[in-house]
Amino acid sequence: MNIFILNDGCVREDALIQNLKIRLESENHTITTDYENSDILIYTTCAGTGYSIDKGIKTCYWLQQIKKKTSPLIITGCLAGLIKELDFAQNREGIKIIENKDFVVPVSNYINEEKKRTTKKLSLEHATRKICDQDTYIQFMLEDGCTNHCSFCKTHYYPKKIESINDQDALYYLKNKIKNGTKIISLSGENLTLYGIDIYKKPILHKFIHELAEETDLNYIIVNEITAQNMYPELLEELARCKKVVQVSLQLESASDKILKAMNRGHTLEEYDYIIRTLQEQEKIVDTILMSGFPTETQEDLEKTINYIKERKIYVEGIVDYADFYAIPSHELEQLPYKEKRRHLKALSEAIKTSNYEVLENVMNYPFTNASIVVGHNDKKVYLANSMTPYSMKKDLYELPLGTIVKEPPKRIVKRRGSTINYQYKY
């Protein structure tokens, strides 16, 4: 069968879609981009904001209208978990709603009319996202859920309990990946700082990182979705001390204490800054996410954020444009006028372009950027990666096997293209 897949989900859903495509192709199905003539349509949704919920509903209706009458539409992802509350697509002919968080096997079962189960091994594979074509560089979803209640967050209408992968299962799985050539592991979760509290009644991310780093064939560890509110001394010490941890993503949103309080972030800028300084003193790259246009945000609040990012040399991975929704507490605050929101977003975006450029130039001198790893081959080019992102090289080095460490590569440059700034190698 020809199957069309549309993914509006986050990184976790992206990992699941990668694995779903592999599974469906192994079952002799064809993944197609021709949605009008496909035999089955799969739509993976997001429910992170009111905007994404509205978009998901509209997209479901659109797909229902343009698909063949005989082609079922399968809805997965976070919005599928809100189906009862939102009451859309309920009992509609030709729509199958799959609420399972790990939807790979359930979708395959529906398509093939089977009743297979998701094994522990499959769950671990489904939590793995390939950054490159091979497993040399992977992202692993170690945890799901968050107990914090930021005033802008979906936890108020889409609460999820903490669900951690057993540490020994995860370590055994990742150690096998390392034995088979994985060189870079990016650890992720919805709030990774809380990893383990559901199983062990206390967070154990520091122990997990420590044991993972003992694998001699692993070069780099990247740690994502860390919160200052949930930071604890043992974790901060391990992140700073561990030489294989080269990059940490620490959520900020705003550098204004007034806005942080309104967001219910659970920390002050001073507390956040202590963590940043501790990590940067050990030459770790720190990146973050900012939020623009939060209710009551003033020009002064915006300038505080811009100045702090520049002063602390923090790489900004992205900017979230605040989306209002009736089910979140921040809806009760005075909202910014549309034009003012646009001005704030534009000013922040322009400032971040310059700031990120300076950050990337600065980290050129960090010890770990003097060596990179061959992580993939494509189009007669070989791809390198260190802690930041994959980079392409000329075909002259195409014969280098995966996992090869390239020390002191050709002249490194920082390239700006619109809002995107990354490393490249120049010959």
Side-chain angles (χ1 to χ4, degrees), residues 228-229 250-261 263 265-278 288-290 300-312 314:
Q229 176 179 354
L250 188 67
Q251 299 172 356
L252 175 61
E253 275 84 31
S254 173
S256 164
D257 278 326
K258 183 197 81 176
I259 296 298
L260 288 174
K261 184 176 181 179
M263 289 178 171
R265 289 297 284 138
H267 68 263
T268 63
L269 182 62
E270 182 180 1
E271 292 167 333
Y272 181 92
D273 190 62
Y274 172 76
I275 299 171
I276 290 290
R277 286 186 286 107
T278 302
T288 195
I289 298 291
L290 300 179
E300 182 182 358
D301 296 322
L302 188 64
E303 290 174 359
K304 284 181 179 179
T305 300
I306 291 172
N307 292 336
Y308 178 74
I309 290 296
K310 289 181 176 179
E311 178 186 351
R312 276 281 165 249
I314 302 171

Side-chain angles (χ1 to χ4, degrees), residues 179-318:
K179 288 177 183 177
N180 291 318
T182 296
K183 298 296 181 182
I184 306 175
I185 295 178
S186 176
L187 298 174
S188 295
E190 191 163 355
N191 182 351
L192 194 58
T193 335
L194 300 175
Y195 171 66
I197 65 170
D198 54 318
I199 302 175
Y200 311 102
K201 308 307 177 186
K202 60 181 180 180
I204 62 163
L205 182 59
H206 64 293
K207 293 183 179 179
F208 187 90
I209 293 172
H210 182 82
E211 191 165 345
L212 183 64
E214 290 181 342
E215 293 298 301
T216 55
D217 290 334
L218 178 66
N219 290 78
Y220 303 132
I221 298 174
I222 299 169
V223 184
N224 298 308
E225 300 302 332
I226 298 296
T227 62
Q229 176 179 354
N230 306 113
M231 180 62 74
Y232 56 97
E234 295 88 349
L235 177 57
L236 181 56
E237 181 182 356
E238 184 63 31
L239 292 173
R241 182 203 63 79
C242 181
K243 293 182 179 180
K244 290 188 178 180
V245 173
V246 293
Q247 184 176 347
V248 178
S249 297
L250 188 67
Q251 299 172 356
L252 175 61
E253 275 84 31
S254 173
S256 164
D257 278 326
K258 183 197 81 176
I259 296 298
L260 288 174
K261 184 176 181 179
M263 289 178 171
N264 195 32
R265 289 297 284 138
H267 68 263
T268 63
L269 182 62
E270 182 180 1
E271 292 167 333
Y272 181 92
D273 190 62
Y274 172 76
I275 299 171
I276 290 290
R277 286 186 286 107
T278 302
L279 295 173
Q280 289 184 336
E281 284 171 1
Q282 299 302 316
E283 297 186 313
K284 312 293 182 182
I285 289 180
V286 180
D287 68 81
T288 195
I289 298 291
L290 300 179
M291 180 173 286
S292 175
F294 187 82
T296 73
E297 181 182 69
T298 64
Q299 184 65 33
E300 182 182 358
D301 296 322
L302 188 64
E303 290 174 359
K304 284 181 179 179
T305 300
I306 291 172
N307 292 336
Y308 178 74
I309 290 296
K310 289 181 176 179
E311 178 186 351
R312 276 281 165 249
K313 294 181 169 53
I314 302 171
Y315 183 82
V316 179
E317 190 70 31

Side-chain angles (χ1 to χ4, degrees), residues 294-404:
F294 187 82
T296 73
E297 181 182 69
T298 64
Q299 184 65 33
E300 182 182 358
D301 296 322
L302 188 64
E303 290 174 359
K304 284 181 179 179
T305 300
I306 291 172
N307 292 336
Y308 178 74
I309 290 296
K310 289 181 176 179
E311 178 186 351
R312 276 281 165 249
K313 294 181 169 53
I314 302 171
Y315 183 82
V316 179
E317 190 70 31
I319 301 173
V320 177
D321 188 12
Y322 171 79
D324 190 34
F325 189 46
Y326 71 90
I328 54 178
S330 54
H331 175 70
E332 302 300 324
L333 300 174
E334 183 179 353
Q335 306 294 311
L336 295 186
Y338 176 79
K339 288 186 178 180
E340 189 172 353
K341 277 192 67 178
R342 296 300 93 194
R343 286 197 297 271
H344 283 211
L345 180 61
K346 183 178 179 181
L348 190 58
S349 300
E350 289 300 319
I352 294 312
K353 287 181 185 179
T354 302
S355 176
N356 278 355
Y357 186 86
E358 293 173 352
V359 170
L360 290 182
E361 282 190 317
N362 181 64
V363 300
M364 294 289 196
N365 300 319
Y366 282 15
F368 58 80
T369 58
N370 290 327
S372 297
I373 303 166
V374 176
V375 292
H377 301 93
N378 190 26
D379 298 328
K380 294 299 179 182
K381 290 182 180 180
V382 61
Y383 287 80
L384 291 183
N386 50 31
S387 70
M388 295 294 286
T389 187
Y391 320 115
S392 62
M393 295 182 68
K394 282 183 70 175
K395 61 184 179 181
D396 302 33
L397 301 176
Y398 185 68
E399 300 300 323
L400 289 176
L402 294 177
T404 301

